[in-house]
Amino acid sequence: MGKIINKKNMFFPDKEFKKKALINNNSIYKKALKNPTKFWADIAKELYWFNKPKKTFVHKPPYFQWFTGGKINISYNCLDKNLEERRNKVALIWEPEPLEERERILTYYELSRQVNKFSNALKQLGVKKGDVVGIYMPMLPETIIAMLACARIGAVHAVVFSAFSSNALKIRLEGTKAKILITADGYYRRGKIVNLKDSADEGIKGTNVKKVVVVKRAGNQIKFKKGRDYYWNELTENQKDHCEAAKMNSEDTLFILFTSGSTGKPKGIIHTCGGYTVQAYATTKLIFDLKDDDIFWSTADLGWITGHTYSCYGPLLNGTTFVLYEGVPGYPEPNQWCKTIEKYGVTTFYTAPTAIRMFEKEMRTIKEKMSTLQLISSVGEPIDEEAWKWYFNQVGKGNCPILDTWWQTETGGILITSLPGIGPFKPTFTGIPFPGIRTDILNKEGKPVKANEKGNLVILPPFSPGMLRGVYKNPKKYQETYFGTYGNKIYFTSDVAYKDKNGLIRIVGRADDVIKVAGHRLSTGELENIIDSYKKVSECAVIGIPHEIKGEVPLAFVVLKSGKPGDEMKKEIVQQVEKGIGKIARPAEIYFVKELPKTRSGKIMRRILRKLFSKEDMGDLSTLANPESVEELKKIIQ
Ligand code: WT7
């Protein structure tokens, strides 16, 4: 194995690592930028197309298309294409949370068989090309099978994170008008069984869902409604093990995934069949430097975009063996994830800063050698220098590149990172744009900023094949959010960033009201809506403040309409949040105030609340209609 060389706090792969890497010559950047569409068109040729694309990129700002005229199926590329060469290779290793249970190992052949059977089951339930199917499932092989089966028959999947509440599920189902939901009886989380079916039953009330497929996982008691509910195993048992893959147009919708934005309602991000497949394939291969004998483990939940692209589609498109763990990586023991890495000989590990900080706090030094690891990586939020160094020394043992990968639900795949065979890996810097990706950092006037100056991170045409094609049933939101700041040819990421003198990009944080809590993307507006809807609340403001492990946590400032401020009321409000979104959105603290700081026009000044916590100068308070509210806040916070 190679070593990583440290040159003044910039890290590089050594000769040996470079020699083995798929990309080790930085001429790829120059070549790709000269003609980005050709770069992507060449990669697209490595996939199987029923009909070859006629045009690579079509731009009708703010809309764009990739590989038009092409016909493709991602499930065919994940399965059938691999059956020729690696039929008996292990595709998926599923590790259950209860340690006494056996793992499940599915070869490409077995996975393919199960996907084909379930595709036929979906057809039997009346699911047709273009229909939306809701998937509300934990980390199970069946979740992957369900996603691939939808893709196979051309149905659009809309996965909803299993830790979201029934209310959050309902909002997402209503948004898509899904007629069918796939779920499970329950699953294991930190030693307990979570009854998922109860939440599913609650969530589908009043929606269009007419049929529910239930995977038996935890064996817990559920309410089974005959005629509406079907057990997965009974439904698939007698299905044929072949189902023709639908020939999808490149620009047909592959899936919708909801994410939070500035406003109260989540947005349904649309990803398409051709472009997403090409980007998922290429970024997984070239960034994670995957070779045939690698074992890849992304800890991301399938309910988020990282789970879609790197815990499911990306590894399968590359014919890789990958691990899926049912529980949280630090359970039952803080070093459970180290044991899993050793048990399966994981070579390539992908996780989030919040997990890294948690591991660091709980373990400090790691005794496991984890000698198979060759590459470690991070995603979702900025990784601070201390966590970076700990990850590098304790997990990578100084031998593995750390890839800090930047992207978003909207971009479909990684857009900024260093490549492992080239480097550099610089703590707290995410790296440079992936070959063929054009980014810039602009000031308010739209002018590029100088080195070390902060500005708005934007992506320039031709963007990337895997980027969103729209916001479900909301074209206005698409235009305004992404193409409303610098005109309809420049995609605004909503992130603030700067470049060092070598062009390495450092992400500072969001420019909008999105916060990252333990890597989960939440909107403070959405939280405010939920708290405001509680009958005893008059109004509220939610902000994110830095947190040692979780990155950020929400705080709520609440003005009551009735009832008494105190612990009891805090509990009621927390319950409201758990019901509305889920436990992940629980405010770390709730402050009861008489008034919120407001402008004369009545806008809540969240900036002032944030500054009170960061102990920064509050700046100009003359626009405030009620400066006395700040005095009250100062007293409460101290
Ligand atoms: C936001 C997108 C796409 C993967 C999971 C997150 C932040 C993402 C990094 C990174 C600093 C990062 C950005 C971005 N973010 N990766 N490497 N360094 N910040 O997807 O939930 O859509 O969130 O996460 O603020 O805009 P997401």
Side-chain angles (χ1 to χ4, degrees):
M1 203 209 303
K3 279 257 182 254
I4 302 300
I5 303 162
N6 182 352
K7 287 187 198 157
K8 293 194 194 140
N9 215 28
M10 296 245 278
F11 297 79
F12 294 86
D14 73 352
K15 260 199 201 134
E16 209 182 326
F17 193 101
K18 267 179 166 314
K19 210 167 73 192
K20 283 193 282 183
L22 291 177
I23 297 181
N24 48 22
N25 185 333
N26 58 16
S27 62
I28 185 169
Y29 287 107
K30 227 175 162 182
K31 202 174 145 205
L33 273 188
K34 226 175 178 179
N35 193 345
T37 54
K38 182 172 183 301
F39 170 78
W40 289 110
D42 285 345
I43 291 178
K45 286 183 195 141
E46 293 175 28
L47 293 165
Y48 182 81
W49 296 81
F50 301 109
N51 289 353
K52 301 256 170 301
K54 293 208 173 74
K55 280 204 176 120
T56 308
F57 180 70
V58 180
H59 200 179
K60 300 173 192 157
Y63 292 95
F64 55 92
Q65 302 179 324
W66 281 86
F67 310 116
T68 49
K71 283 192 189 286
I72 192 166
N73 187 297
I74 195 167
S75 155
Y76 189 95
N77 275 282
C78 287
L79 304 169
D80 310 50
K81 184 168 173 279
N82 285 317
L83 290 185
E84 290 158 27
E85 279 174 38
R86 37 179 84 88
R87 182 185 188 81
N88 296 319
K89 180 175 173 176
V90 172
L92 171 61
I93 303 170
W94 178 72
E95 180 81 343
E97 191 195 87
L99 292 177
E100 62 281 8
E101 259 184 60
R102 285 286 294 273
E103 66 275 0
R104 277 169 66 189
I105 294 182
L106 283 89
T107 60
Y108 272 89
Y109 176 71
E110 184 55 23
L111 182 65
S112 166
R113 225 171 81 88
Q114 295 206 27
V115 169
N116 276 273
K117 277 170 162 274
F118 193 64
S119 303
N120 284 325
L122 285 176
K123 280 188 169 172
Q124 186 193 317
L125 291 179
V127 179
K128 297 205 168 58
K129 196 169 167 172
D131 287 353
V132 179
V133 174
I135 298 181
Y136 184 49
M137 288 173 84
M139 294 284 273
L140 297 177
E142 281 77 8
T143 316
I144 288 176
I145 295 168
M147 289 162 74
L148 289 166
C150 288
R152 190 161 192 93
I153 64 171
V156 174
H157 60 68
V159 181
V160 179
F161 181 43
S162 57
F164 271 142
S165 67
S166 51
N167 184 64
L169 170 66
K170 190 192 181 92
I171 291 171
R172 286 156 180 79
L173 290 174
E174 277 168 349
T176 58
K177 304 237 165 7
K179 284 190 275 255
I180 165 163
L181 180 72
I182 308 166
T183 188
D185 52 359
Y187 61 95
Y188 290 91
R189 204 73 177 173
R190 295 188 180 278
K192 290 203 188 82
I193 292 179
V194 179
N195 189 324
L196 190 66
K197 179 62 166 41
D198 273 358
S199 299
D201 287 344
E202 196 54 38
I204 62 171
K205 276 187 191 158
T207 70
N208 287 2
V209 172
K210 298 282 172 326
K211 287 174 183 162
V212 179
V213 181
V214 187
V215 176
K216 285 187 203 169
R217 157 63 188 128
N220 50 305
Q221 278 279 323
I222 61 162
K223 291 179 208 99
F224 189 88
K225 196 168 167 189
K226 258 201 157 156
R228 183 197 71 184
D229 295 353
Y230 301 80
Y231 278 119
W232 173 294
N233 57 318
E234 290 168 12
L235 198 64
T236 40
E237 213 165 43
N238 297 320
Q239 301 292 345
K240 290 209 178 77
D241 57 11
H242 179 75
C243 172
E244 199 72 25
K247 296 186 171 83
M248 304 301 289
N249 288 322
S250 179
E251 283 295 320
D252 282 341
T253 301
L254 172 62
F255 66 83
I256 302 166
L257 185 62
F258 282 84
T259 189
S260 296
S262 274
T263 50
K265 269 204 152 172
K267 297 176 287 210
I269 303 299
I270 297 173
H271 285 290
T272 52
C273 294
Y276 175 84
T277 304
V278 172
Q279 196 177 327
Y281 166 72
T283 55
T284 310
K285 174 175 167 179
L286 301 177
I287 295 170
F288 297 106
D289 195 35
L290 289 178
K291 328 260 169 42
D292 207 36
D293 55 356
D294 275 318
I295 312 276
F296 182 69
W297 183 17
S298 151
T299 63
D301 195 285
L302 292 162
W304 304 94
I305 191 72
T306 314
H308 282 56
T309 309
Y310 301 107
S311 309
C312 175
Y313 288 121
L316 288 169
L317 287 167
N318 282 283
T320 304
T321 300
F322 67 107
V323 174
L324 188 76
Y325 177 50
E326 180 181 33
V328 287
Y331 186 88
E333 295 297 326
N335 66 343
Q336 183 55 38
W337 57 282
C338 304
K339 289 186 185 160
T340 305
I341 288 173
E342 294 210 318
K343 181 173 173 191
Y344 298 114
V346 170
T347 58
T348 318
F349 185 58
Y350 195 27
T351 194
T354 187
I356 297 165
R357 290 187 296 258
M358 175 84 89
F359 300 151
E360 182 188 358
K361 187 167 173 234
E362 289 182 341
M363 303 173 71
R364 290 282 154 206
T365 50
I366 295 184
K367 61 176 195 311
E368 283 81 3
K369 287 201 179 72
M370 300 187 284
S371 58
T372 51
L373 279 181
Q374 289 176 19
L375 195 160
I376 56 180
S377 46
S378 166
V379 62
E381 19 157 357
I383 174 164
D384 50 283
E385 180 139 5
E386 191 195 318
W388 197 101
K389 291 256 164 85
W390 183 85
Y391 195 31
F392 182 75
N393 291 317
Q394 291 294 324
V395 181
K397 315 286 185 196
N399 293 326
C400 303
I402 292 189
L403 306 182
D404 178 0
T405 62
W406 177 92
W407 58 298
Q408 313 178 294
T409 304
E410 290 87 344
T411 68
I414 298 165
L415 291 193
I416 304 177
T417 182
S418 295
L419 290 175
I422 298 175
F425 323 112
K426 180 175 174 182
T428 75
F429 283 76
T430 162
I432 57 172
F434 186 75
I437 302 298
R438 297 172 60 223
T439 67
D440 211 337
I441 301 177
L442 305 179
N443 65 15
K444 282 209 176 76
E445 289 72 45
K447 295 251 155 51
V449 297
K450 294 196 198 91
N452 296 315
E453 228 172 81
K454 283 181 200 166
N456 288 328
L457 178 67
V458 299
I459 304 166
L460 306 172
F463 313 111
S464 81
M467 266 171 68
L468 83 165
R469 298 300 196 271
V471 173
Y472 196 65
K473 300 233 165 95
N474 203 341
K476 202 168 147 235
K477 181 121 262 175
Y478 170 80
Q479 197 277 327
E480 279 173 4
T481 314
Y482 307 109
F483 296 96
T485 311
Y486 296 112
N488 60 8
K489 286 185 188 154
I490 297 182
Y491 172 94
F492 177 35
T493 62
S494 291
D495 274 1
V496 174
Y498 66 88
K499 270 187 219 170
D500 71 2
K501 60 178 191 312
N502 300 314
L504 291 173
I505 297 171
R506 176 170 183 169
I507 307 292
V508 178
R510 298 281 301 196
D512 58 4
D513 293 321
V514 164
I515 58 172
K516 280 310 201 68
V517 181
H520 303 317
R521 178 163 159 183
L522 296 173
S523 132
T524 53
E526 209 176 326
L527 261 151
E528 287 174 2
N529 278 356
I530 285 161
I531 298 175
D532 281 340
S533 68
Y534 190 45
K535 56 182 189 296
K536 295 181 187 170
V537 170
S538 158
E539 61 176 349
C540 80
V542 173
I543 58 163
I545 59 154
H547 184 271
E548 200 191 350
I549 306 256
K550 295 181 177 174
E552 277 182 295
V553 287
L555 296 185
F557 297 83
V558 177
V559 181
L560 289 175
K561 202 188 286 174
S562 62
K564 273 208 201 88
D567 286 349
E568 223 16 71
M569 185 65 72
K570 282 186 190 172
K571 258 193 221 151
E572 289 174 35
I573 292 172
V574 166
Q575 261 173 18
Q576 185 76 8
V577 172
E578 286 181 2
K579 249 172 56 193
I581 303 180
K583 288 197 173 128
I584 53 165
R586 267 194 293 217
E589 189 53 87
I590 297 169
Y591 297 98
F592 297 104
V593 293
K594 285 200 209 81
E595 272 184 286
L596 294 167
K598 283 185 184 169
T599 61
R600 293 203 181 89
S601 59
K603 247 183 86 181
I604 299 172
M605 300 275 279
R606 292 175 187 79
R607 175 176 61 87
I608 290 184
L609 297 172
R610 274 193 293 268
K611 296 230 156 132
L612 272 168
F613 274 90
S614 55
K615 307 253 179 306
E616 268 174 73
D617 176 38
M618 258 173 289
D620 182 16
L621 296 180
S622 64
T623 53
L624 271 181
N626 53 349
E628 62 287 357
S629 64
V630 177
E631 295 311 311
E632 186 200 1
L633 281 162
K634 276 187 187 161
K635 276 187 214 138
I636 293 175
I637 289 167
Q638 274 146 26

